[in-house]
Amino acid sequence: MFRLFAVCLLAFAAAGLPQPGFAQDSNQQTAVEPPPLTPEHLAIAREAFIASKAGRAFDEILPVVADRAKATFIKSNPQMQLGIIEVVDRVALGLVASRKTLDDGLIRVWARAFTAEELAAIRDFYNSPAGQKFAQEFPKVLQTQLAVSDNWTARLGNEMAKRVQVELRKMRNTDIKQLRGSETESQGQ
């Protein structure tokens, strides 16, 4: 699940992060701020984001952070394991409301990546039966694609190793023949 989360996170980051422009000013590069987003643009971005269910890719962040915190605190203080688990769970529940900050940031990414018209089309697609099925099935499809890719990568690596070994043997045999040929020539002289 964490791997799926990481891939989705990278995909969203690569696809939507705003890239600052640069202006030349006396041989200095300075970042040019993108124009501010209008409330209307952010609203349509929110609708598209919610309809796409893209936020599900980030649902595991808080549980993963909580598990890491438990492991870290328990490792340094094993005799307090039960208390640590209770405290971390309580703190994690208190942090659930902060998820809105993440969603707001992700929505801003969408708003910067797409025009209002594109966001409306995306929203409309995800609200259609095909779009709803896509949003529902995409995590499974992505996971299956990763498995297919992993299998292909393993087969490709094995095939490459076999072919390289064959080529290296050929090279070695050619070198040995050349060495033997030069030994025969030097013995004949």
Side-chain angles (χ1 to χ4, degrees):
M1 178 55 119
F2 184 73
R3 182 174 168 191
L4 176 62
F5 161 74
V7 169
C8 288
L9 180 64
L10 289 173
F12 281 114
L17 283 179
Q19 302 296 318
F22 290 97
Q24 291 290 346
D25 180 47
S26 305
N27 293 329
Q28 276 188 334
Q29 288 188 342
T30 56
V32 176
E33 286 295 316
L37 297 167
T38 66
E40 296 80 18
H41 196 130
L42 286 170
I44 193 77
R46 179 175 301 282
E47 291 172 11
F49 179 78
I50 290 169
S52 74
K53 297 181 178 24
R56 289 186 314 184
F58 304 94
D59 287 348
E60 294 299 314
I61 293 175
L62 183 56
V64 167
V65 169
D67 287 345
R68 286 182 185 164
K70 288 176 190 176
T72 300
F73 283 104
I74 290 170
K75 186 177 181 180
S76 63
N77 222 341
Q79 69 277 10
M80 292 190 62
Q81 179 174 350
L82 294 177
I84 290 169
I85 291 170
E86 179 186 329
V87 169
V88 170
D89 286 346
R90 189 170 358 107
V91 169
L93 285 173
L95 291 171
V96 168
S98 70
R99 169 62 190 260
K100 182 180 179 324
T101 304
L102 172 63
D103 287 342
D104 288 347
L106 297 172
I107 289 164
R108 292 183 84 71
V109 168
W110 280 54
R112 294 247 182 255
F114 302 105
T115 66
E117 294 78 21
E118 291 166 336
L119 288 164
I122 291 167
R123 178 206 52 212
D124 294 345
F125 167 72
Y126 279 112
N127 285 331
S128 72
Q132 289 174 2
K133 182 172 183 178
F134 180 83
Q136 183 66 35
E137 297 297 320
F138 184 71
K140 293 179 234 169
V141 169
L142 182 60
Q143 191 170 20
T144 304
Q145 286 177 317
L146 290 172
V148 169
S149 173
D150 286 347
N151 289 336
W152 179 76
T153 301
R155 286 193 315 270
L156 186 67
N158 290 336
E159 182 65 24
M160 181 173 287
K162 287 177 188 175
R163 290 184 183 193
V164 167
Q165 287 173 343
V166 166
E167 293 301 317
L168 289 174
R169 276 191 215 111
K170 287 179 187 177
M171 185 184 295
R172 185 190 68 205
N173 290 340
T174 300
D175 288 348
I176 289 171
K177 287 178 185 175
Q178 288 175 347
L179 285 173
R180 286 185 181 154
S182 61
E183 283 177 7
T184 306
E185 287 177 14
S186 63
Q187 288 175 356
Q189 292 178 353

